[in-house]
Amino acid sequence: MNIQQALQLASHKLSDSSPSAMLDAQVLLTHILQCNTAHLMAWPETELDERQASHYLMLVQQRQQGSPVAHLTGQREFWSLDFFVNDCTLIPRPETETLVDFILDRFSDKQNLKVLDMGTGTGAIAIAIASERPDWTIFASDFSPEALELAMKNSKAHQTESITFIRSDWFEDITSSDFDIIISNPPYIADSDPHLQEGDVRFEPRSALIAGKTGMDDIMHLCLHARAFLKKNGWLILEHGYNQKQQVADCFTLNRYDGIKQVQDLSGHTRMTAGRNA
Ligand SMILES: C[S@@+](CC[C@H](N)C(=O)[O-])C[C@H]1O[C@@H](n2cnc3c(N)ncnc32)[C@H](O)[C@@H]1O
C-alpha cells in the first residue's frame, strides 16, 4: 500500500463516521510516517512498510469507532504550539484561542502581570500566554492530578517552566489574592445536553465538560469567588457556551463586575465574557 492508496482507503472507511474523513486520514498518516502533509502530497507513490501499514489500519479502525484523532496521535495544536493530550482532560479547542487573543490584545508586554489559569487541563491557555509574555507571573491550577501532570509535561516541552502549577478544587488551595487576571475555560455543558453523545466529547472526561443541570454551576462559582482573589481592577475572563451569553453576562452583573465585555469566536458565536473587579 502506498501513501495515495492509504489516504483513499482511510477516507473511504471514515466517510460515514467522521465529518473530516480525508483530513483525519492525512493527520493519522503524517503521525505514522513522522512527516508533514506536504510530504504526503509530494510522494504519493511511496510504499508503507508492513509495520507502518498495520499501525495505520489500526488507528483508522479506532477512528471509525469514534476515538478522537488527537487521542490517537497523542497531540493537538493550539496557538501554533503542539500539545500532548490524553483522555484525562479536554482536547484544546480553537475557540479557546479567543481568550488568549483577548488577553494579548488588551495587556501589553510592558506590564508584569500576575495571572491564574483555572482548570488548566493540558495547560493550553497558560502555556500560550507564557510563550507570548515570558515576563509575566503565571499560575495554573486544576483539581485533576493527571491533568496537572500532563500540563507540566507540556510546559516543559515549551520551555515555560516558570509557570507554577497548583492542585486545587477551584479556589480551595489558592493562597494568593492579588491576581491581575483570572482566566478559565471551565466545564459548562448541561448534564442532559444531547451533544454529550456525539463526536470527541464522548471520549473526554465528564469532569472537564459537565457543570450541573444547566451547565452554569462552575461559571457561577468562579464569578462568585474570583473577586476575593483579584486585585482591584483585575479581570475575570471566562469561556462559555455559545448559548450562555445572557446568563453569563447576568452572572457577572449580579456579582458586581464592571466593564463587562463579550467576545465572539471566529464562527461568530459569543464564547467569552470578561469583567473587572470594580
Ligand atoms: C473544559 S476543560 C478546559 C481545559 C483547558 N483549560 C482548555 O481550555 O483546553 C475544564 C478543566 O477544568 C478542570 N476542573 C473541573 N472541575 C474543577 C474544579 N472543581 N477545580 C479545578 N479544576 C476543575 C477539569 O479537570 C478540566 O481540566
Side-chain angles (χ1 to χ4, degrees):
M1 178 165 62
N2 66 30
I3 285 180
Q4 187 175 17
Q5 290 162 338
L7 291 176
Q8 278 165 353
L9 178 78
S11 70
H12 175 70
K13 276 181 183 281
L14 297 176
S15 57
D16 288 337
S17 53
S18 165
S20 51
M22 181 46 101
L23 181 64
D24 295 358
Q26 289 173 345
V27 174
L28 294 177
L29 195 52
T30 55
H31 170 68
I32 300 280
L33 300 180
Q34 292 292 294
C35 67
N36 56 27
T37 316
H39 179 98
L40 302 182
M41 302 302 135
W43 307 102
E45 278 153 29
T46 305
E47 290 289 325
L48 276 65
D49 67 30
E50 214 170 293
R51 197 184 49 83
Q52 290 167 333
S54 70
H55 189 189
Y56 179 65
L57 292 176
M58 186 182 80
L59 295 189
V60 171
Q61 190 183 13
Q62 286 176 271
R63 179 63 186 140
Q64 248 181 318
Q65 289 158 357
S67 291
V69 173
H71 284 174
L72 299 176
T73 61
Q75 284 196 318
R76 172 55 49 91
E77 190 178 296
F78 179 84
W79 202 256
S80 300
L81 302 169
D82 280 330
F83 282 85
F84 296 112
V85 301
N86 61 31
D87 59 8
C88 75
T89 186
L90 195 86
I91 300 164
R93 307 286 205 270
E95 54 267 27
T96 304
E97 294 187 355
T98 309
L99 280 73
V100 179
D101 244 339
F102 178 83
I103 290 190
L104 298 180
D105 240 32
R106 204 167 180 95
F107 304 98
S108 80
D109 53 0
K110 308 278 182 294
Q111 306 154 279
N112 187 345
L113 301 184
K114 184 166 169 179
V115 180
L116 171 61
D117 170 26
M118 305 197 85
T120 194
T122 55
I125 297 173
I127 292 168
I129 295 173
S131 72
E132 301 280 350
R133 299 283 187 264
D135 295 332
W136 288 9
T137 307
I138 300 181
F139 293 78
S141 65
D142 206 291
F143 73 166
S144 153
E146 294 83 12
L148 282 176
E149 196 181 316
L150 182 66
M152 285 189 260
K153 182 173 165 189
N154 280 316
S155 184
K156 192 164 181 211
H158 294 298
Q159 296 171 323
T160 54
E161 286 154 299
S162 60
I163 299 173
T164 305
F165 290 93
I166 305 168
R167 184 171 176 204
S168 178
D169 182 348
W170 294 138
F171 291 100
E172 215 163 274
D173 292 295
I174 304 297
T175 49
S176 300
S177 53
D178 58 349
F179 291 102
D180 296 288
I181 299 171
I182 295 177
I183 187 164
S184 183
N185 172 18
Y188 53 71
I189 301 179
D191 59 10
S192 58
D193 191 319
H195 292 106
L196 291 165
Q197 314 308 328
E198 295 167 16
D200 286 2
V201 292
R202 290 169 299 166
F203 296 82
E204 293 173 304
R206 297 175 82 77
S207 56
L209 299 166
I210 294 175
K213 276 197 170 15
T214 64
M216 284 293 291
D217 286 9
D218 290 311
I219 288 176
M220 291 197 303
H221 183 87
L222 293 172
C223 257
L224 177 65
H225 295 285
R227 289 191 57 191
F229 294 84
L230 283 167
K231 279 184 188 153
K232 186 163 170 49
N233 290 326
W235 285 84
L236 173 66
I237 302 170
L238 299 181
E239 178 172 322
H240 49 79
Y242 69 94
N243 53 357
Q244 291 170 325
K245 176 181 173 182
Q246 193 55 50
Q247 283 159 283
V248 178
D250 292 346
C251 188
F252 272 67
T253 307
L254 191 73
N255 287 291
R256 289 176 287 112
Y257 291 86
D258 78 357
I260 296 169
K261 307 252 171 307
Q262 295 198 296
V263 180
Q264 296 180 346
D265 64 16
L266 291 174
S267 318
H269 297 119
T270 301
R271 297 299 300 270
M272 193 210 93
T273 298
R276 208 168 37 199
N277 180 26

